Amino acid sequence: MGSDLKQNGSSRELEVPVIDLQGSRGERRSVVVQQIRSACVEWGLFQVINHDISPALMKKMFQVAKEFFDLPMEEKWKYSSSERTTTVDLFHGYGTKEFGTKGALDQGDQLRHRTLPLSARAYEQWPSHPPSFREIEEEFTQKHHKLKEHLFELISESVNLRSSFLNDFFGKDYAQTFLINHYLASVEQTPCMGLQNHSDICALTVLMQSISGLQVMKDGEWVSVELIQDAFAVNLGDQFEILTNGLYKSPLHRALLNSSERFSVGVFSCPPDDKVVTPIPELVAEFPPLRYKASTYAQYRTEVMTVPDMVKTLTPDL
Ligand code: OGA
Ligand code: NI
């Protein structure tokens, strides 16, 4: 396939599905539900446009992200968590991460908050500079809560379950996490990794990128998630792969460094820690055999984070 490869190592021919959510609460609903089903079966990742989160808010979020990450290190560290990072719980608040790559280590920093349930918020980790940061994060994550409810309805319908199935299953106490990834510009000629291959542990990730860099694995090749103005990339996480008994994929994805500084802002929806996640009986009946074991979300995280390649061993060869 060598001649088909672009310089960034991705294939030319494959294109990540783009789903227009316009009319998805009305006359276009069944069309959108079908598009979601095929995107989830084939990719586990798609982009959405006309999703009801205003371009102005997306822009403001990127602006305050940039202003925050431009602060001196010692200012940013004020928002780090005093809890130590363990292998099973990623740090919250501000932190840096050395992203290991073959041959080189890339530096990046991140800001991660638990935003829902409200009781999980640690406001001392929310930047007070720039002054509008908190208000914008609040509005942004609130809008994402609404978008998550809508996407969960569409995804439920796409596997022939009642609309409210997934929202009910995750419950009022579902966990929403907000994350800003900040990647430094790469000076290398060849593509460098900003974030290694991984699948997301949660159920659903909705992410916006300031400039391109996100790639998804499709049929053994890396495909770039092209930057589309005002779109979000939506990818399924491991919990949806388990719930659908493998019908839907939690895809491997990664982020390449760009030649300019890059931000991505992701909002993750996850089950509460004590929720037992197991394949939905109707889907096991439709696509037997049972392919995943039941575990609470907390147990699953512990296993994945402590046993390397656990995700791969959980992912069946279909
Ligand atoms: C993530 C992720 C991709 C990106 O944070 O889980 O996959 O483009 N980020 O930053
Ligand atoms: Ni990810």
Side-chain angles (χ1 to χ4, degrees):
M1 298 291 283
S3 58
D4 288 343
L5 294 182
K6 281 198 230 167
Q7 207 196 351
N8 61 6
S10 74
S11 161
R12 237 179 243 154
E13 279 135 43
L14 295 168
E15 274 181 30
V16 173
V18 179
I19 300 181
D20 185 350
L21 293 182
Q22 185 92 51
S24 60
R25 295 176 195 273
E27 78 285 1
R28 288 191 62 252
R29 193 167 183 106
S30 59
V31 174
V32 171
V33 165
Q34 273 316 311
Q35 289 174 340
I36 287 187
R37 183 180 173 103
S38 52
C40 292
V41 168
E42 284 166 27
W43 292 80
L45 188 147
F46 52 94
Q47 301 214 67
V48 288
I49 55 171
N50 294 319
H51 41 63
D52 279 352
I53 297 184
S54 79
L57 180 60
M58 296 166 79
K59 192 167 163 213
K60 276 194 274 181
M61 190 70 252
F62 275 134
Q63 273 165 356
V64 291
K66 164 95 178 119
E67 279 179 62
F68 173 72
F69 282 94
D70 276 349
L71 292 174
M73 272 290 180
E74 60 274 20
E75 278 302 309
K76 293 190 271 188
W77 277 115
K78 289 183 184 160
Y79 304 99
S80 66
S81 163
S82 51
E83 300 159 40
R84 283 197 52 82
T85 306
T86 65
T87 44
V88 291
D89 261 312
L90 297 164
F91 68 80
H92 285 85
Y94 175 77
T96 56
K97 192 168 167 187
E98 288 190 341
F99 301 118
T101 59
K102 292 189 189 79
L105 269 183
D106 305 313
Q107 302 285 327
D109 50 357
Q110 298 181 319
L111 183 69
R112 186 193 313 271
H113 296 145
R114 294 188 178 98
T115 42
L116 288 175
L118 291 174
S119 58
R121 289 190 180 185
Y123 279 113
E124 67 278 8
Q125 295 166 3
W126 293 39
S128 50
H129 184 90
S132 56
F133 194 104
R134 291 181 183 198
E135 198 186 306
I136 291 168
E137 178 175 339
E138 195 120 20
E139 188 185 348
F140 188 77
T141 53
Q142 168 59 24
K143 292 278 169 15
H144 270 277
H145 166 68
K146 290 276 168 228
L147 179 58
K148 166 260 174 197
E149 290 200 316
H150 186 46
L151 290 171
F152 273 33
E153 282 189 6
L154 298 172
I155 294 170
S156 300
E157 290 172 34
S158 76
V159 285
N160 303 315
L161 296 167
R162 64 172 200 280
S163 288
S164 60
F165 183 91
L166 289 168
N167 283 312
D168 292 347
F169 181 85
F170 282 68
K172 281 194 311 299
D173 289 333
Y174 90 93
Q176 182 195 60
T177 299
F178 167 88
L179 171 69
I180 305 178
N181 290 297
H182 173 223
Y183 304 98
L184 301 179
S186 167
V187 289
E188 305 291 329
Q189 293 300 311
T190 50
C192 270
M193 206 70 75
L195 187 58
Q196 300 277 356
N197 315 351
H198 66 284
S199 67
D200 290 348
I201 294 173
C202 280
L204 194 76
T205 304
V206 179
L207 180 128
M208 61 180 191
Q209 33 179 2
S210 62
I211 49 176
S212 59
L214 177 62
Q215 295 192 322
V216 61
M217 176 65 88
K218 165 76 170 142
D219 302 335
E221 290 178 35
W222 288 108
V223 179
S224 292
V225 179
E226 301 297 342
L227 186 73
I228 299 178
Q229 191 71 32
D230 305 326
F232 285 107
V234 177
N235 71 268
L236 304 183
D238 298 349
Q239 305 312 306
F240 272 174
E241 179 168 325
I242 296 170
L243 282 166
T244 60
N245 199 32
L247 174 66
Y248 285 1
K249 303 286 171 293
S250 170
L252 274 182
H253 55 283
R254 66 183 189 184
L256 299 183
L257 295 181
N258 203 299
S259 52
S260 315
E261 176 187 49
R262 175 173 184 268
F263 293 91
S264 68
V265 184
V267 178
F268 301 83
S269 298
C270 322
D273 273 357
D274 59 358
K275 185 78 194 172
V276 177
V277 179
T278 186
I280 297 166
E282 285 88 335
L283 293 174
V284 180
E286 203 177 336
F287 304 102
L290 175 72
R291 293 185 167 91
Y292 302 84
K293 64 174 187 178
S295 58
T296 65
Y297 181 52
Q299 275 164 351
Y300 181 84
R301 271 208 324 274
T302 309
E303 288 180 8
V304 167
M305 300 268 195
T306 51
V307 183
D309 296 331
M310 182 73 186
V311 180
K312 286 189 207 94
T313 63
L314 274 173
T315 307
D317 274 322
L318 290 176

